[in-house]
Short mmCIF file of all heavy atoms in Angstrom, two decimals:
data_model
loop_
_atom_site.label_atom_id
_atom_site.label_comp_id
_atom_site.label_asym_id
_atom_site.label_seq_id
_atom_site.Cartn_x
_atom_site.Cartn_y
_atom_site.Cartn_z
N PHE A 121 -11.83 -0.28 -6.83
CA PHE A 121 -11.22 0.80 -6.20
C PHE A 121 -11.00 0.43 -4.71
O PHE A 121 -9.85 0.58 -4.22
CB PHE A 121 -12.00 2.10 -6.31
CG PHE A 121 -11.42 3.26 -5.52
CD1 PHE A 121 -10.38 4.12 -5.99
CD2 PHE A 121 -11.95 3.55 -4.25
CE1 PHE A 121 -9.86 5.13 -5.32
CE2 PHE A 121 -11.39 4.58 -3.48
CZ PHE A 121 -10.34 5.36 -3.98
N LEU A 175 0.00 -0.52 -6.31
CA LEU A 175 0.17 0.88 -6.44
C LEU A 175 1.26 1.28 -7.46
O LEU A 175 1.11 2.16 -8.19
CB LEU A 175 0.62 1.50 -5.08
CG LEU A 175 -0.52 1.49 -3.99
CD1 LEU A 175 -0.05 2.03 -2.71
CD2 LEU A 175 -1.67 2.36 -4.45
N CYS A 182 -0.76 5.19 -14.94
CA CYS A 182 -1.02 6.64 -15.03
C CYS A 182 -0.16 7.34 -15.99
O CYS A 182 -0.48 8.30 -16.57
CB CYS A 182 -0.86 7.27 -13.68
SG CYS A 182 -2.21 6.96 -12.47
N ALA A 206 -6.75 4.30 -14.07
CA ALA A 206 -5.90 4.45 -13.06
C ALA A 206 -5.67 5.80 -12.69
O ALA A 206 -5.49 6.20 -11.42
CB ALA A 206 -4.47 3.91 -13.57
N ARG A 207 -5.76 6.75 -13.60
CA ARG A 207 -5.68 8.29 -13.24
C ARG A 207 -6.86 8.66 -12.43
O ARG A 207 -6.72 9.49 -11.50
CB ARG A 207 -5.59 9.01 -14.58
CG ARG A 207 -4.30 8.85 -15.31
CD ARG A 207 -4.40 9.28 -16.79
NE ARG A 207 -3.11 8.93 -17.45
CZ ARG A 207 -3.02 8.91 -18.76
NH1 ARG A 207 -4.02 9.14 -19.54
NH2 ARG A 207 -1.91 8.52 -19.33
N ALA A 208 -8.07 8.11 -12.66
CA ALA A 208 -9.21 8.49 -11.74
C ALA A 208 -9.02 7.99 -10.34
O ALA A 208 -9.31 8.70 -9.49
CB ALA A 208 -10.48 7.85 -12.39
N ASP A 209 -8.57 6.71 -10.21
CA ASP A 209 -8.29 6.20 -8.90
C ASP A 209 -7.24 7.06 -8.10
O ASP A 209 -7.42 7.43 -6.96
CB ASP A 209 -7.72 4.75 -9.02
CG ASP A 209 -8.76 3.76 -9.47
OD1 ASP A 209 -9.89 4.10 -9.51
OD2 ASP A 209 -8.38 2.64 -9.75
N VAL A 210 -6.14 7.40 -8.83
CA VAL A 210 -5.13 8.20 -8.10
C VAL A 210 -5.65 9.52 -7.80
O VAL A 210 -5.32 10.10 -6.76
CB VAL A 210 -3.87 8.32 -9.08
CG1 VAL A 210 -2.83 9.37 -8.56
CG2 VAL A 210 -3.24 7.03 -9.25
N THR A 211 -6.56 10.16 -8.63
CA THR A 211 -7.13 11.45 -8.37
C THR A 211 -7.89 11.45 -6.97
O THR A 211 -7.76 12.35 -6.15
CB THR A 211 -8.00 11.92 -9.35
OG1 THR A 211 -7.25 12.10 -10.64
CG2 THR A 211 -8.65 13.31 -9.15
N VAL A 212 -8.65 10.35 -6.81
CA VAL A 212 -9.40 10.31 -5.53
C VAL A 212 -8.45 10.11 -4.34
O VAL A 212 -8.66 10.76 -3.31
CB VAL A 212 -10.41 8.96 -5.67
CG1 VAL A 212 -11.07 8.78 -4.25
CG2 VAL A 212 -11.38 9.18 -6.69
N TRP A 213 -7.42 9.22 -4.51
CA TRP A 213 -6.48 9.02 -3.40
C TRP A 213 -5.81 10.25 -3.05
O TRP A 213 -5.72 10.62 -1.88
CB TRP A 213 -5.57 7.94 -3.71
CG TRP A 213 -6.08 6.65 -3.77
CD1 TRP A 213 -6.99 6.08 -2.96
CD2 TRP A 213 -5.76 5.51 -4.59
NE1 TRP A 213 -7.40 4.79 -3.25
CE2 TRP A 213 -6.61 4.40 -4.35
CE3 TRP A 213 -4.83 5.37 -5.73
CZ2 TRP A 213 -6.46 3.14 -5.00
CZ3 TRP A 213 -4.75 4.18 -6.35
CH2 TRP A 213 -5.51 3.09 -5.99
N LEU A 214 -5.36 11.05 -4.03
CA LEU A 214 -4.76 12.36 -3.83
C LEU A 214 -5.64 13.30 -3.13
O LEU A 214 -5.19 14.13 -2.23
CB LEU A 214 -4.16 12.96 -5.12
CG LEU A 214 -2.97 12.14 -5.75
CD1 LEU A 214 -2.60 12.80 -7.10
CD2 LEU A 214 -1.74 12.23 -4.88
N GLY A 215 -6.86 13.32 -3.58
CA GLY A 215 -7.84 14.23 -2.86
C GLY A 215 -8.00 13.92 -1.35
O GLY A 215 -8.03 14.83 -0.54
N VAL A 216 -8.09 12.61 -1.18
CA VAL A 216 -8.19 12.17 0.43
C VAL A 216 -6.93 12.52 1.21
O VAL A 216 -6.96 13.08 2.31
CB VAL A 216 -8.50 10.75 0.50
CG1 VAL A 216 -8.53 10.31 1.96
CG2 VAL A 216 -9.78 10.42 -0.28
N ILE A 217 -5.74 12.40 0.55
CA ILE A 217 -4.51 12.74 1.16
C ILE A 217 -4.44 14.28 1.43
O ILE A 217 -4.02 14.65 2.54
CB ILE A 217 -3.33 12.32 0.27
CG1 ILE A 217 -3.23 10.72 0.33
CG2 ILE A 217 -1.97 12.88 0.77
CD1 ILE A 217 -2.23 10.24 -0.76
N VAL A 218 -4.85 15.05 0.45
CA VAL A 218 -4.85 16.54 0.67
C VAL A 218 -5.77 16.91 1.79
O VAL A 218 -5.46 17.72 2.60
CB VAL A 218 -5.21 17.21 -0.70
CG1 VAL A 218 -5.55 18.66 -0.42
CG2 VAL A 218 -4.17 17.02 -1.64
N TRP A 219 -6.91 16.28 1.86
CA TRP A 219 -7.94 16.46 2.86
C TRP A 219 -7.29 16.21 4.25
O TRP A 219 -7.47 16.93 5.18
CB TRP A 219 -9.19 15.64 2.63
CG TRP A 219 -10.25 15.81 3.63
CD1 TRP A 219 -10.37 16.77 4.49
CD2 TRP A 219 -11.40 14.97 3.73
NE1 TRP A 219 -11.58 16.54 5.28
CE2 TRP A 219 -12.18 15.53 4.82
CE3 TRP A 219 -11.88 13.87 3.05
CZ2 TRP A 219 -13.41 14.90 5.14
CZ3 TRP A 219 -13.09 13.27 3.40
CH2 TRP A 219 -13.89 13.79 4.44
N SER A 220 -6.65 15.04 4.42
CA SER A 220 -6.02 14.65 5.61
C SER A 220 -5.01 15.67 6.03
O SER A 220 -4.84 15.95 7.27
CB SER A 220 -5.37 13.22 5.46
OG SER A 220 -6.40 12.20 5.32
N VAL A 221 -4.14 16.06 5.08
CA VAL A 221 -3.08 17.04 5.37
C VAL A 221 -3.75 18.35 5.85
O VAL A 221 -3.30 18.94 6.83
CB VAL A 221 -2.18 17.23 4.15
CG1 VAL A 221 -1.21 18.43 4.47
CG2 VAL A 221 -1.37 15.94 3.86
N ALA A 222 -4.81 18.80 5.14
CA ALA A 222 -5.41 20.03 5.45
C ALA A 222 -6.06 20.08 6.84
O ALA A 222 -5.96 21.08 7.51
CB ALA A 222 -6.50 20.31 4.49
N PRO A 228 -9.55 10.79 7.43
CA PRO A 228 -10.17 10.53 6.06
C PRO A 228 -9.50 9.35 5.41
O PRO A 228 -10.18 8.54 4.78
CB PRO A 228 -9.77 11.85 5.36
CG PRO A 228 -9.82 12.92 6.30
CD PRO A 228 -9.08 12.23 7.57
N LEU A 229 -8.21 9.11 5.61
CA LEU A 229 -7.49 7.99 5.08
C LEU A 229 -7.93 6.70 5.65
O LEU A 229 -7.85 5.64 5.07
CB LEU A 229 -5.98 8.12 5.20
CG LEU A 229 -5.30 9.14 4.19
CD1 LEU A 229 -3.89 9.55 4.64
CD2 LEU A 229 -5.37 8.59 2.79
N VAL A 232 -10.95 5.84 3.50
CA VAL A 232 -10.66 5.70 2.02
C VAL A 232 -9.22 5.55 1.84
O VAL A 232 -8.45 6.50 2.10
CB VAL A 232 -11.22 6.87 1.20
CG1 VAL A 232 -10.89 6.64 -0.33
CG2 VAL A 232 -12.74 7.07 1.36
N GLY A 233 -8.79 4.40 1.37
CA GLY A 233 -7.32 4.16 1.15
C GLY A 233 -6.78 3.22 2.03
O GLY A 233 -6.48 1.97 1.64
#
Side-chain angles (χ1 to χ4, degrees):
F121 176 82
L175 291 175
C182 283
R207 290 162 187 162
D209 289 349
V210 169
T211 298
V212 175
W213 289 325
L214 288 177
V216 177
I217 291 171
V218 169
W219 181 12
S220 292
V221 171
L229 284 166
V232 178

